[in-house]
Amino acid sequence: MSLGNGRTYLAIPGPSVMPERVIRAMMRAAPNIYHGELPDMMPDLIRDLKSVARTRHNAAIYICNGHGAWEAAAANVLSPGDKVLVASTGRFSHGWAEVARSLGIEPEILEFGLRSPIDPERVKERLAADTEGRIRAVTVVQTDTSTSVRSDVPAIRRAIDAAGHDALLMVDSIACLGCDVMEMDAWGVDVLVTASQKGLMTPPGLGFVFYNDKADRWREAVKSVSYYWDWRPRTEPDYFYRYFAGTAPTHLLYALREALDMIAEEGLEQIWWRHGILAQAVWAAFEHWGEEGPLELNAPDRSFRSHAVTGVRVGSDKATELRNWCENQAGLTLGIGLGMEPTDHFFRLGHMGHVNAQMVLGALATIEAGLKTVGIPHARGGAEAAGEVIARNTSP
Ligand SMILES: *Cc1c(COP(=O)(O)O)cnc(C)c1O
């Protein structure tokens, strides 16, 4: 017997919940890829995509996942033997470093652990010590999805500038573009990578690399960029085929078009606000439950918690049991404790993209029932505490 039939909530955290509108936009015959509406919609699509990243510079679209976007970004600005400073706050920070290493690039890891953000001061010190200018770029994962720690990107820009270093600032906002605030140009981000399947509410399969003129000068210094990863033809296509180095991801583009329309209709500031309030509701629930027993949010400091995903420490090996109960008995699929040891002491709740108050409150009430069922000690009333946050921030 199960109470799980009905509309499910996939909170793993990515792929995230897809809006009906986005799914329906793909229900159509394949379009002509040589002329007509698909090629014609590209300029507006690129314009709207750039507006979500808050950049007036370039946007290249790849048929790939986040790993592909990592490789694309690295391949355009770094050469074998180049050194890159990897400021790490979790599994995904290391993932980008591994991709770079496979290209012959030398990552140097600056470790900040699994519970705290990047300390800009340490970035500054390391860059100041690089008197020969060997470090070509600093990579930062804005929200590391494994830990849900969000770093202060503008502070890292200021640290690079204060060190008088000309390394590129390369940022991964795959988890959180469209959830946590991102101001690519205003914050001085040189390269920004993201993907379709999280805050952008679109199926997996599109990777995005935004880059400014400085990054394009780094591109100039790279001897050879592979045919597929080269961002130049994709941002200056002389014909439609060149946007994607081959056949376009036709249906994903319709899905993305719809998602960007939804973002424009709601407004990016409003979307950031919604994610902020929903995240506060999530935190209120866990902070309340944690008043008795071992349950704890992974990121202790509110100002460094993501608004897209929340990592939880269960304090025992019961996280897997809890996740299984939520999925099988209630239709809520929580994320595994990725990159954490031991994995079954952790879980994550994705609240990115197409999520609203009833989904988050439902998820939290489900988790509260699950805590009880599997026997994880907690203070009763966390879901109610979350409801109070929602009530405080809305009007009748
Ligand atoms: C999901 C994610 C990735 C990896 O994306 P894939 O599509 O799984 O390759 C990388 N970085 C961050 C921050 C992510 O959230």
Side-chain angles (χ1 to χ4, degrees), residues 190-214:
D190 298 305
V191 178
L192 180 71
V193 303
T194 193
S196 50
Q197 77 271 24
K198 288 173 183 156
L200 297 181
M201 309 179 288
T202 300
L206 297 177
F208 308 102
V209 179
F210 304 90
Y211 64 93
N212 65 15
D213 298 343
K214 177 174 174 181

Tab-separated table of all heavy atoms in Angstrom, residues 190-214:
chain	number	residue	atom	x	y	z
A	190	ASP	N	33.797	36.578	-15.831
A	190	ASP	CA	34.287	36.528	-17.216
A	190	ASP	C	33.668	35.378	-17.999
A	190	ASP	O	33.403	35.508	-19.194
A	190	ASP	CB	35.819	36.394	-17.215
A	190	ASP	CG	36.490	37.587	-16.550
A	190	ASP	OD1	36.214	38.727	-16.974
A	190	ASP	OD2	37.263	37.377	-15.589
A	191	VAL	N	33.519	34.233	-17.338
A	191	VAL	CA	32.908	33.068	-17.989
A	191	VAL	C	31.889	32.493	-17.005
A	191	VAL	O	32.195	32.287	-15.833
A	191	VAL	CB	33.960	31.976	-18.316
A	191	VAL	CG1	33.294	30.752	-18.939
A	191	VAL	CG2	35.040	32.530	-19.249
A	192	LEU	N	30.682	32.259	-17.502
A	192	LEU	CA	29.631	31.697	-16.652
A	192	LEU	C	29.090	30.454	-17.347
A	192	LEU	O	28.747	30.504	-18.528
A	192	LEU	CB	28.504	32.729	-16.476
A	192	LEU	CG	27.328	32.298	-15.606
A	192	LEU	CD1	27.733	32.229	-14.140
A	192	LEU	CD2	26.155	33.267	-15.761
A	193	VAL	N	29.030	29.338	-16.629
A	193	VAL	CA	28.459	28.133	-17.239
A	193	VAL	C	27.196	27.722	-16.495
A	193	VAL	O	27.090	27.862	-15.279
A	193	VAL	CB	29.462	26.936	-17.255
A	193	VAL	CG1	30.743	27.300	-17.964
A	193	VAL	CG2	29.747	26.406	-15.875
A	194	THR	N	26.236	27.239	-17.275
A	194	THR	CA	25.041	26.687	-16.658
A	194	THR	C	24.451	25.630	-17.595
A	194	THR	O	25.021	25.336	-18.639
A	194	THR	CB	24.039	27.792	-16.256
A	194	THR	OG1	23.048	27.232	-15.389
A	194	THR	CG2	23.347	28.399	-17.458
A	195	ALA	N	23.341	25.049	-17.161
A	195	ALA	CA	22.725	23.984	-17.948
A	195	ALA	C	21.208	24.104	-17.817
A	195	ALA	O	20.693	24.847	-16.984
A	195	ALA	CB	23.207	22.609	-17.478
A	196	SER	N	20.502	23.348	-18.643
A	196	SER	CA	19.062	23.575	-18.793
A	196	SER	C	18.197	23.019	-17.671
A	196	SER	O	17.079	23.481	-17.450
A	196	SER	CB	18.611	22.966	-20.127
A	196	SER	OG	19.076	21.629	-20.272
A	197	GLN	N	18.695	22.006	-16.932
A	197	GLN	CA	17.773	21.149	-16.176
A	197	GLN	C	17.534	21.506	-14.718
A	197	GLN	O	16.955	20.739	-13.984
A	197	GLN	CB	18.270	19.704	-16.249
A	197	GLN	CG	19.454	19.352	-15.350
A	197	GLN	CD	20.803	19.579	-15.997
A	197	GLN	OE1	20.923	20.378	-16.907
A	197	GLN	NE2	21.836	18.899	-15.527
A	198	LYS	N	18.002	22.657	-14.279
A	198	LYS	CA	17.752	22.987	-12.872
A	198	LYS	C	16.890	24.242	-12.786
A	198	LYS	O	15.701	24.166	-13.074
A	198	LYS	CB	19.073	23.067	-12.130
A	198	LYS	CG	19.644	21.647	-11.965
A	198	LYS	CD	21.023	21.577	-11.395
A	198	LYS	CE	21.504	20.132	-11.351
A	198	LYS	NZ	22.959	20.021	-11.352
A	199	GLY	N	17.459	25.393	-12.461
A	199	GLY	CA	16.623	26.589	-12.368
A	199	GLY	C	15.934	26.948	-13.673
A	199	GLY	O	14.927	27.649	-13.666
A	200	LEU	N	16.460	26.503	-14.774
A	200	LEU	CA	15.882	26.879	-16.071
A	200	LEU	C	14.722	25.970	-16.504
A	200	LEU	O	14.159	26.166	-17.581
A	200	LEU	CB	16.967	26.959	-17.153
A	200	LEU	CG	18.041	28.033	-16.900
A	200	LEU	CD1	19.069	28.063	-18.028
A	200	LEU	CD2	17.425	29.421	-16.744
A	201	MET	N	14.392	24.958	-15.701
A	201	MET	CA	13.120	24.218	-15.844
A	201	MET	C	12.945	23.483	-17.177
A	201	MET	O	11.830	23.199	-17.589
A	201	MET	CB	11.919	25.186	-15.671
A	201	MET	CG	11.952	26.036	-14.435
A	201	MET	SD	10.530	27.169	-14.322
A	201	MET	CE	10.900	28.374	-15.587
A	202	THR	N	14.027	23.198	-17.851
A	202	THR	CA	14.004	22.610	-19.196
A	202	THR	C	14.639	21.223	-19.092
A	202	THR	O	15.475	21.010	-18.211
A	202	THR	CB	14.797	23.559	-20.133
A	202	THR	OG1	14.154	24.837	-20.116
A	202	THR	CG2	14.875	23.059	-21.557
A	203	PRO	N	14.290	20.258	-19.940
A	203	PRO	CA	14.916	18.943	-19.804
A	203	PRO	C	16.448	19.020	-19.901
A	203	PRO	O	16.980	19.954	-20.500
A	203	PRO	CB	14.361	18.156	-21.003
A	203	PRO	CG	13.126	18.869	-21.407
A	203	PRO	CD	13.311	20.304	-21.038
A	204	PRO	N	17.147	18.045	-19.327
A	204	PRO	CA	18.605	17.991	-19.474
A	204	PRO	C	18.967	17.902	-20.955
A	204	PRO	O	18.209	17.347	-21.746
A	204	PRO	CB	18.997	16.691	-18.767
A	204	PRO	CG	17.827	16.301	-17.945
A	204	PRO	CD	16.618	16.901	-18.571
A	205	GLY	N	20.117	18.435	-21.298
A	205	GLY	CA	20.567	18.302	-22.687
A	205	GLY	C	21.104	19.570	-23.306
A	205	GLY	O	21.685	19.528	-24.388
A	206	LEU	N	20.954	20.716	-22.612
A	206	LEU	CA	21.551	21.945	-23.123
A	206	LEU	C	22.538	22.484	-22.095
A	206	LEU	O	22.205	22.611	-20.914
A	206	LEU	CB	20.484	23.018	-23.388
A	206	LEU	CG	19.422	22.710	-24.449
A	206	LEU	CD1	18.416	23.856	-24.524
A	206	LEU	CD2	20.066	22.469	-25.814
A	207	GLY	N	23.744	22.810	-22.561
A	207	GLY	CA	24.736	23.475	-21.719
A	207	GLY	C	24.949	24.877	-22.265
A	207	GLY	O	24.892	25.089	-23.488
A	208	PHE	N	25.178	25.840	-21.371
A	208	PHE	CA	25.335	27.230	-21.797
A	208	PHE	C	26.656	27.781	-21.280
A	208	PHE	O	26.999	27.571	-20.118
A	208	PHE	CB	24.203	28.097	-21.242
A	208	PHE	CG	22.833	27.547	-21.545
A	208	PHE	CD1	22.114	26.862	-20.568
A	208	PHE	CD2	22.280	27.678	-22.811
A	208	PHE	CE1	20.853	26.345	-20.839
A	208	PHE	CE2	21.020	27.167	-23.100
A	208	PHE	CZ	20.310	26.494	-22.121
A	209	VAL	N	27.373	28.484	-22.142
A	209	VAL	CA	28.580	29.173	-21.711
A	209	VAL	C	28.455	30.640	-22.116
A	209	VAL	O	28.327	30.957	-23.298
A	209	VAL	CB	29.850	28.558	-22.337
A	209	VAL	CG1	31.086	29.328	-21.878
A	209	VAL	CG2	29.973	27.083	-21.965
A	210	PHE	N	28.454	31.508	-21.120
A	210	PHE	CA	28.436	32.951	-21.353
A	210	PHE	C	29.871	33.447	-21.173
A	210	PHE	O	30.545	33.023	-20.240
A	210	PHE	CB	27.537	33.652	-20.329
A	210	PHE	CG	26.118	33.135	-20.304
A	210	PHE	CD1	25.761	32.073	-19.464
A	210	PHE	CD2	25.144	33.700	-21.101
A	210	PHE	CE1	24.455	31.598	-19.432
A	210	PHE	CE2	23.827	33.232	-21.071
A	210	PHE	CZ	23.490	32.186	-20.246
A	211	TYR	N	30.316	34.335	-22.045
A	211	TYR	CA	31.691	34.837	-21.890
A	211	TYR	C	31.788	36.281	-22.359
A	211	TYR	O	31.071	36.706	-23.259
A	211	TYR	CB	32.682	33.947	-22.647
A	211	TYR	CG	32.494	33.932	-24.153
A	211	TYR	CD1	33.209	34.814	-24.971
A	211	TYR	CD2	31.617	33.041	-24.762
A	211	TYR	CE1	33.042	34.800	-26.345
A	211	TYR	CE2	31.447	33.034	-26.140
A	211	TYR	CZ	32.155	33.911	-26.926
A	211	TYR	OH	31.982	33.912	-28.281
A	212	ASN	N	32.704	37.003	-21.724
A	212	ASN	CA	32.869	38.409	-22.095
A	212	ASN	C	34.092	38.593	-22.999
A	212	ASN	O	34.741	37.621	-23.402
A	212	ASN	CB	32.915	39.291	-20.835
A	212	ASN	CG	34.146	39.013	-19.962
A	212	ASN	OD1	35.108	38.364	-20.401
A	212	ASN	ND2	34.107	39.513	-18.740
A	213	ASP	N	34.406	39.848	-23.307
A	213	ASP	CA	35.487	40.132	-24.264
A	213	ASP	C	36.849	39.719	-23.715
A	213	ASP	O	37.721	39.278	-24.465
A	213	ASP	CB	35.503	41.627	-24.610
A	213	ASP	CG	34.203	42.042	-25.281
A	213	ASP	OD1	33.467	41.143	-25.761
A	213	ASP	OD2	33.908	43.254	-25.307
A	214	LYS	N	37.024	39.864	-22.410
A	214	LYS	CA	38.307	39.454	-21.824
A	214	LYS	C	38.499	37.950	-22.019
A	214	LYS	O	39.578	37.502	-22.425
A	214	LYS	CB	38.328	39.804	-20.332
A	214	LYS	CG	39.609	39.338	-19.657
A	214	LYS	CD	39.716	39.808	-18.210
A	214	LYS	CE	40.937	39.175	-17.557
A	214	LYS	NZ	41.091	39.552	-16.161
